[in-house]
Amino acid sequence: MNHLGDAHLRTWTLRFMTLLAADRQDQLAWLGGGEVETGAVVEEAELLCRASAELEERGTFAPPDARDLRAIGRRLGEIDAACRAGHWANALATDPAWDDIRLLARRFLLTTLGDWRRPLPRPARSYTGNH
């Protein structure tokens, strides 16, 4: 890896794709009733997928890995604005796009790591201003 940030982006991509690849019930358990907005999930994943082309050029991801990430990015791009509104927990239950994304994320992890079943990343704590 040529750039210090490449390792971080690779790790973050793998963690995020692990979350997207997880079974729906595991994703819901990870959310723990938290109110994560669907649009935020889509934007974060799209950003990571767009960065894959540059990371591929620098050797951080192999061409098949980057190709899978671009496929995920394309599918995310097909989610219309109405489906991006609201909580991700609701979208997981009602929008079939997330089933497609789950399968694509699993394929990416299989190609990249040899297995899609990975421990889910720890949920980010929401900042409330209280300590």
Short mmCIF file of all heavy atoms in Angstrom, two decimals, residues 17-66:
data_model
loop_
_atom_site.label_atom_id
_atom_site.label_comp_id
_atom_site.label_asym_id
_atom_site.label_seq_id
_atom_site.Cartn_x
_atom_site.Cartn_y
_atom_site.Cartn_z
N MET A 17 -18.57 -3.54 4.36
CA MET A 17 -19.10 -4.61 3.52
C MET A 17 -19.52 -5.81 4.38
O MET A 17 -20.48 -6.51 4.04
CB MET A 17 -18.09 -5.02 2.46
CG MET A 17 -17.85 -3.96 1.40
SD MET A 17 -19.36 -3.41 0.57
CE MET A 17 -19.17 -1.64 0.67
N THR A 18 -18.83 -6.04 5.48
CA THR A 18 -19.23 -7.10 6.41
C THR A 18 -20.62 -6.81 6.95
O THR A 18 -21.46 -7.71 7.04
CB THR A 18 -18.21 -7.23 7.55
OG1 THR A 18 -16.95 -7.63 6.99
CG2 THR A 18 -18.65 -8.23 8.59
N LEU A 19 -20.86 -5.56 7.30
CA LEU A 19 -22.19 -5.18 7.78
C LEU A 19 -23.23 -5.37 6.69
O LEU A 19 -24.31 -5.91 6.93
CB LEU A 19 -22.17 -3.73 8.27
CG LEU A 19 -23.50 -3.16 8.74
CD1 LEU A 19 -24.06 -3.98 9.91
CD2 LEU A 19 -23.34 -1.71 9.13
N LEU A 20 -22.93 -4.95 5.47
CA LEU A 20 -23.89 -5.08 4.36
C LEU A 20 -24.12 -6.54 3.99
O LEU A 20 -25.20 -6.89 3.51
CB LEU A 20 -23.41 -4.30 3.15
CG LEU A 20 -23.34 -2.78 3.30
CD1 LEU A 20 -22.85 -2.15 2.00
CD2 LEU A 20 -24.68 -2.21 3.71
N ALA A 21 -23.13 -7.40 4.20
CA ALA A 21 -23.24 -8.81 3.84
C ALA A 21 -23.98 -9.64 4.89
O ALA A 21 -24.44 -10.74 4.60
CB ALA A 21 -21.85 -9.40 3.62
N ALA A 22 -24.10 -9.12 6.08
CA ALA A 22 -24.68 -9.89 7.19
C ALA A 22 -26.15 -10.22 6.93
O ALA A 22 -26.84 -9.53 6.18
CB ALA A 22 -24.56 -9.09 8.49
N ASP A 23 -26.60 -11.30 7.55
CA ASP A 23 -28.02 -11.64 7.49
C ASP A 23 -28.84 -10.49 8.04
O ASP A 23 -28.39 -9.76 8.92
CB ASP A 23 -28.30 -12.91 8.31
CG ASP A 23 -27.69 -14.15 7.69
OD1 ASP A 23 -27.64 -14.25 6.44
OD2 ASP A 23 -27.26 -15.03 8.46
N ARG A 24 -30.05 -10.33 7.52
CA ARG A 24 -30.91 -9.22 7.94
C ARG A 24 -31.08 -9.18 9.46
O ARG A 24 -30.99 -8.11 10.06
CB ARG A 24 -32.27 -9.32 7.26
CG ARG A 24 -33.19 -8.16 7.65
CD ARG A 24 -34.56 -8.23 7.01
NE ARG A 24 -34.41 -8.30 5.58
CZ ARG A 24 -35.14 -9.12 4.79
NH1 ARG A 24 -36.04 -9.91 5.31
NH2 ARG A 24 -34.96 -9.12 3.50
N GLN A 25 -31.32 -10.32 10.09
CA GLN A 25 -31.53 -10.30 11.54
C GLN A 25 -30.28 -9.85 12.28
O GLN A 25 -30.36 -9.18 13.31
CB GLN A 25 -32.04 -11.65 12.07
CG GLN A 25 -31.10 -12.81 11.91
CD GLN A 25 -31.29 -13.57 10.61
OE1 GLN A 25 -31.84 -13.07 9.64
NE2 GLN A 25 -30.83 -14.81 10.58
N ASP A 26 -29.10 -10.17 11.73
CA ASP A 26 -27.85 -9.70 12.35
C ASP A 26 -27.68 -8.19 12.14
O ASP A 26 -27.18 -7.50 13.03
CB ASP A 26 -26.66 -10.45 11.78
CG ASP A 26 -26.65 -11.92 12.19
OD1 ASP A 26 -27.21 -12.25 13.25
OD2 ASP A 26 -26.09 -12.73 11.42
N GLN A 27 -28.09 -7.70 10.98
CA GLN A 27 -28.03 -6.26 10.74
C GLN A 27 -28.95 -5.52 11.71
O GLN A 27 -28.58 -4.51 12.29
CB GLN A 27 -28.42 -5.94 9.30
CG GLN A 27 -27.41 -6.42 8.28
CD GLN A 27 -27.92 -6.35 6.86
OE1 GLN A 27 -29.11 -6.54 6.60
NE2 GLN A 27 -27.02 -6.09 5.93
N LEU A 28 -30.16 -6.06 11.89
CA LEU A 28 -31.11 -5.43 12.81
C LEU A 28 -30.60 -5.48 14.25
O LEU A 28 -30.73 -4.50 14.99
CB LEU A 28 -32.48 -6.09 12.69
CG LEU A 28 -33.18 -5.88 11.34
CD1 LEU A 28 -34.43 -6.76 11.24
CD2 LEU A 28 -33.52 -4.41 11.12
N ALA A 29 -30.00 -6.59 14.62
CA ALA A 29 -29.43 -6.69 15.97
C ALA A 29 -28.29 -5.70 16.13
O ALA A 29 -28.14 -5.07 17.18
CB ALA A 29 -28.94 -8.12 16.24
N TRP A 30 -27.48 -5.53 15.09
CA TRP A 30 -26.38 -4.56 15.13
C TRP A 30 -26.93 -3.15 15.33
O TRP A 30 -26.37 -2.37 16.10
CB TRP A 30 -25.57 -4.65 13.84
CG TRP A 30 -24.40 -3.73 13.78
CD1 TRP A 30 -23.15 -3.98 14.23
CD2 TRP A 30 -24.36 -2.41 13.22
NE1 TRP A 30 -22.33 -2.90 13.99
CE2 TRP A 30 -23.06 -1.92 13.37
CE3 TRP A 30 -25.31 -1.60 12.60
CZ2 TRP A 30 -22.68 -0.67 12.93
CZ3 TRP A 30 -24.93 -0.34 12.17
CH2 TRP A 30 -23.62 0.11 12.34
N LEU A 31 -28.03 -2.86 14.65
CA LEU A 31 -28.63 -1.54 14.81
C LEU A 31 -29.16 -1.33 16.22
O LEU A 31 -29.15 -0.22 16.73
CB LEU A 31 -29.78 -1.36 13.81
CG LEU A 31 -29.36 -1.14 12.35
CD1 LEU A 31 -30.55 -1.30 11.42
CD2 LEU A 31 -28.72 0.22 12.20
N GLY A 32 -29.61 -2.42 16.85
CA GLY A 32 -30.07 -2.34 18.24
C GLY A 32 -31.14 -1.31 18.48
O GLY A 32 -31.16 -0.68 19.52
N GLY A 33 -32.01 -1.11 17.53
CA GLY A 33 -33.06 -0.12 17.68
C GLY A 33 -32.61 1.29 17.37
O GLY A 33 -33.38 2.23 17.47
N GLY A 34 -31.33 1.43 17.01
CA GLY A 34 -30.82 2.76 16.66
C GLY A 34 -31.48 3.28 15.40
O GLY A 34 -31.92 2.51 14.54
N GLU A 35 -31.54 4.57 15.30
CA GLU A 35 -32.22 5.20 14.18
C GLU A 35 -31.22 5.66 13.13
O GLU A 35 -31.04 6.86 12.91
CB GLU A 35 -33.09 6.34 14.68
CG GLU A 35 -34.17 5.84 15.63
CD GLU A 35 -35.03 6.96 16.18
OE1 GLU A 35 -34.69 8.14 16.01
OE2 GLU A 35 -36.05 6.63 16.79
N VAL A 36 -30.59 4.70 12.48
CA VAL A 36 -29.65 5.01 11.41
C VAL A 36 -30.45 5.27 10.14
O VAL A 36 -31.30 4.47 9.75
CB VAL A 36 -28.66 3.83 11.20
CG1 VAL A 36 -27.76 4.07 10.01
CG2 VAL A 36 -27.86 3.59 12.47
N GLU A 37 -30.17 6.39 9.53
CA GLU A 37 -30.88 6.77 8.31
C GLU A 37 -30.37 5.98 7.11
O GLU A 37 -29.16 5.81 6.94
CB GLU A 37 -30.73 8.27 8.05
CG GLU A 37 -31.37 9.16 9.10
CD GLU A 37 -32.89 9.05 9.11
OE1 GLU A 37 -33.50 8.97 8.03
OE2 GLU A 37 -33.46 9.04 10.22
N THR A 38 -31.30 5.52 6.29
CA THR A 38 -30.95 4.77 5.09
C THR A 38 -30.03 5.58 4.18
O THR A 38 -29.05 5.06 3.65
CB THR A 38 -32.21 4.36 4.33
OG1 THR A 38 -33.06 3.62 5.20
CG2 THR A 38 -31.89 3.53 3.10
N GLY A 39 -30.35 6.85 4.01
CA GLY A 39 -29.54 7.71 3.15
C GLY A 39 -28.09 7.78 3.60
O GLY A 39 -27.18 7.79 2.78
N ALA A 40 -27.86 7.77 4.90
CA ALA A 40 -26.49 7.81 5.43
C ALA A 40 -25.75 6.52 5.10
O ALA A 40 -24.56 6.55 4.75
CB ALA A 40 -26.51 8.05 6.93
N VAL A 41 -26.43 5.39 5.20
CA VAL A 41 -25.81 4.11 4.87
C VAL A 41 -25.47 4.08 3.39
O VAL A 41 -24.36 3.68 3.00
CB VAL A 41 -26.76 2.93 5.24
CG1 VAL A 41 -26.19 1.60 4.75
CG2 VAL A 41 -27.01 2.90 6.74
N VAL A 42 -26.39 4.51 2.55
CA VAL A 42 -26.16 4.52 1.11
C VAL A 42 -24.98 5.43 0.76
O VAL A 42 -24.09 5.05 0.00
CB VAL A 42 -27.43 4.95 0.34
CG1 VAL A 42 -27.14 5.18 -1.14
CG2 VAL A 42 -28.54 3.91 0.50
N GLU A 43 -24.96 6.63 1.33
CA GLU A 43 -23.88 7.57 1.02
C GLU A 43 -22.52 7.04 1.44
O GLU A 43 -21.54 7.17 0.70
CB GLU A 43 -24.15 8.91 1.71
CG GLU A 43 -25.28 9.69 1.09
CD GLU A 43 -25.64 10.93 1.87
OE1 GLU A 43 -24.82 11.37 2.71
OE2 GLU A 43 -26.73 11.47 1.64
N GLU A 44 -22.45 6.44 2.63
CA GLU A 44 -21.17 5.90 3.11
C GLU A 44 -20.69 4.77 2.19
O GLU A 44 -19.51 4.71 1.80
CB GLU A 44 -21.32 5.39 4.54
CG GLU A 44 -20.03 4.98 5.18
CD GLU A 44 -19.15 6.14 5.57
OE1 GLU A 44 -19.64 7.25 5.78
OE2 GLU A 44 -17.92 5.91 5.67
N ALA A 45 -21.59 3.87 1.85
CA ALA A 45 -21.23 2.74 1.00
C ALA A 45 -20.85 3.21 -0.40
O ALA A 45 -19.89 2.71 -0.99
CB ALA A 45 -22.37 1.73 0.95
N GLU A 46 -21.59 4.18 -0.93
CA GLU A 46 -21.26 4.70 -2.26
C GLU A 46 -19.88 5.35 -2.26
O GLU A 46 -19.12 5.18 -3.22
CB GLU A 46 -22.31 5.71 -2.72
CG GLU A 46 -23.59 5.08 -3.19
CD GLU A 46 -24.60 6.10 -3.68
OE1 GLU A 46 -24.74 7.17 -3.06
OE2 GLU A 46 -25.28 5.81 -4.68
N LEU A 47 -19.56 6.07 -1.21
CA LEU A 47 -18.24 6.70 -1.12
C LEU A 47 -17.14 5.64 -1.14
O LEU A 47 -16.15 5.76 -1.88
CB LEU A 47 -18.15 7.53 0.16
CG LEU A 47 -16.79 8.15 0.45
CD1 LEU A 47 -16.42 9.18 -0.61
CD2 LEU A 47 -16.79 8.78 1.83
N LEU A 48 -17.31 4.60 -0.35
CA LEU A 48 -16.30 3.53 -0.32
C LEU A 48 -16.19 2.84 -1.67
O LEU A 48 -15.09 2.50 -2.12
CB LEU A 48 -16.65 2.52 0.78
CG LEU A 48 -16.53 3.06 2.20
CD1 LEU A 48 -17.14 2.08 3.19
CD2 LEU A 48 -15.09 3.37 2.55
N CYS A 49 -17.32 2.64 -2.33
CA CYS A 49 -17.30 2.00 -3.65
C CYS A 49 -16.61 2.88 -4.69
O CYS A 49 -15.86 2.38 -5.53
CB CYS A 49 -18.72 1.64 -4.08
SG CYS A 49 -19.46 0.33 -3.09
N ARG A 50 -16.86 4.19 -4.63
CA ARG A 50 -16.18 5.10 -5.57
C ARG A 50 -14.67 5.13 -5.33
O ARG A 50 -13.89 5.23 -6.27
CB ARG A 50 -16.77 6.51 -5.46
CG ARG A 50 -18.09 6.69 -6.16
CD ARG A 50 -18.47 8.15 -6.29
NE ARG A 50 -18.43 8.89 -5.03
CZ ARG A 50 -19.44 9.00 -4.16
NH1 ARG A 50 -20.58 8.39 -4.41
NH2 ARG A 50 -19.30 9.71 -3.06
N ALA A 51 -14.27 5.06 -4.08
CA ALA A 51 -12.84 5.09 -3.76
C ALA A 51 -12.13 3.83 -4.23
O ALA A 51 -10.90 3.83 -4.37
CB ALA A 51 -12.66 5.26 -2.25
N SER A 52 -12.88 2.78 -4.52
CA SER A 52 -12.26 1.50 -4.89
C SER A 52 -11.43 1.60 -6.17
O SER A 52 -10.41 0.92 -6.29
CB SER A 52 -13.32 0.41 -5.03
OG SER A 52 -14.16 0.65 -6.15
N ALA A 53 -11.83 2.46 -7.10
CA ALA A 53 -11.07 2.58 -8.35
C ALA A 53 -9.66 3.09 -8.07
O ALA A 53 -8.68 2.55 -8.59
CB ALA A 53 -11.80 3.50 -9.31
N GLU A 54 -9.56 4.12 -7.24
CA GLU A 54 -8.24 4.65 -6.92
C GLU A 54 -7.44 3.66 -6.08
O GLU A 54 -6.24 3.50 -6.26
CB GLU A 54 -8.37 5.98 -6.17
CG GLU A 54 -7.06 6.69 -6.04
CD GLU A 54 -7.22 8.11 -5.54
OE1 GLU A 54 -8.24 8.75 -5.82
OE2 GLU A 54 -6.28 8.56 -4.87
N LEU A 55 -8.12 2.98 -5.17
CA LEU A 55 -7.43 1.98 -4.35
C LEU A 55 -6.94 0.82 -5.21
O LEU A 55 -5.89 0.24 -4.94
CB LEU A 55 -8.34 1.50 -3.23
CG LEU A 55 -8.65 2.54 -2.16
CD1 LEU A 55 -9.67 1.99 -1.17
CD2 LEU A 55 -7.40 3.00 -1.45
N GLU A 56 -7.69 0.49 -6.24
CA GLU A 56 -7.23 -0.55 -7.16
C GLU A 56 -5.97 -0.10 -7.89
O GLU A 56 -5.01 -0.87 -8.01
CB GLU A 56 -8.34 -0.87 -8.18
CG GLU A 56 -7.93 -1.89 -9.22
CD GLU A 56 -8.96 -2.07 -10.31
OE1 GLU A 56 -9.95 -1.32 -10.36
OE2 GLU A 56 -8.76 -2.97 -11.14
N GLU A 57 -5.95 1.15 -8.34
CA GLU A 57 -4.78 1.68 -9.04
C GLU A 57 -3.52 1.62 -8.17
O GLU A 57 -2.42 1.42 -8.68
CB GLU A 57 -5.02 3.13 -9.47
CG GLU A 57 -5.98 3.28 -10.62
CD GLU A 57 -6.27 4.74 -10.94
OE1 GLU A 57 -5.51 5.63 -10.47
OE2 GLU A 57 -7.25 4.99 -11.65
N ARG A 58 -3.71 1.80 -6.87
CA ARG A 58 -2.57 1.80 -5.96
C ARG A 58 -2.29 0.41 -5.38
O ARG A 58 -1.43 0.25 -4.52
CB ARG A 58 -2.80 2.80 -4.83
CG ARG A 58 -2.86 4.23 -5.36
CD ARG A 58 -2.67 5.27 -4.29
NE ARG A 58 -3.64 5.25 -3.23
CZ ARG A 58 -4.61 6.15 -3.06
NH1 ARG A 58 -4.75 7.13 -3.93
NH2 ARG A 58 -5.41 6.08 -2.02
N GLY A 59 -3.02 -0.60 -5.82
CA GLY A 59 -2.75 -1.96 -5.41
C GLY A 59 -3.36 -2.37 -4.08
O GLY A 59 -3.05 -3.45 -3.57
N THR A 60 -4.23 -1.54 -3.53
CA THR A 60 -4.87 -1.87 -2.26
C THR A 60 -5.93 -2.95 -2.44
O THR A 60 -6.08 -3.82 -1.58
CB THR A 60 -5.49 -0.60 -1.64
OG1 THR A 60 -4.46 0.38 -1.51
CG2 THR A 60 -6.09 -0.88 -0.28
N PHE A 61 -6.66 -2.88 -3.52
CA PHE A 61 -7.63 -3.91 -3.89
C PHE A 61 -7.25 -4.48 -5.24
O PHE A 61 -6.82 -3.74 -6.14
CB PHE A 61 -9.06 -3.35 -3.97
CG PHE A 61 -9.71 -3.12 -2.64
CD1 PHE A 61 -10.11 -1.85 -2.26
CD2 PHE A 61 -9.94 -4.17 -1.77
CE1 PHE A 61 -10.71 -1.63 -1.03
CE2 PHE A 61 -10.55 -3.96 -0.55
CZ PHE A 61 -10.93 -2.69 -0.17
N ALA A 62 -7.42 -5.78 -5.39
CA ALA A 62 -7.19 -6.44 -6.67
C ALA A 62 -8.34 -6.08 -7.62
O ALA A 62 -9.44 -5.73 -7.17
CB ALA A 62 -7.12 -7.95 -6.48
N PRO A 63 -8.12 -6.17 -8.93
CA PRO A 63 -9.18 -5.84 -9.89
C PRO A 63 -10.52 -6.54 -9.62
O PRO A 63 -11.57 -5.89 -9.69
CB PRO A 63 -8.58 -6.21 -11.24
CG PRO A 63 -7.12 -5.99 -11.04
CD PRO A 63 -6.85 -6.45 -9.62
N PRO A 64 -10.53 -7.85 -9.30
CA PRO A 64 -11.84 -8.47 -9.03
C PRO A 64 -12.55 -7.85 -7.81
O PRO A 64 -13.77 -7.71 -7.81
CB PRO A 64 -11.52 -9.94 -8.76
CG PRO A 64 -10.19 -10.17 -9.39
CD PRO A 64 -9.46 -8.85 -9.28
N ASP A 65 -11.78 -7.46 -6.80
CA ASP A 65 -12.36 -6.84 -5.62
C ASP A 65 -13.00 -5.50 -5.98
O ASP A 65 -14.13 -5.21 -5.59
CB ASP A 65 -11.30 -6.59 -4.54
CG ASP A 65 -10.53 -7.85 -4.16
OD1 ASP A 65 -11.08 -8.96 -4.33
OD2 ASP A 65 -9.39 -7.71 -3.71
N ALA A 66 -12.26 -4.69 -6.71
CA ALA A 66 -12.76 -3.38 -7.11
C ALA A 66 -13.97 -3.52 -8.02
O ALA A 66 -14.92 -2.72 -7.93
CB ALA A 66 -11.65 -2.59 -7.79
#
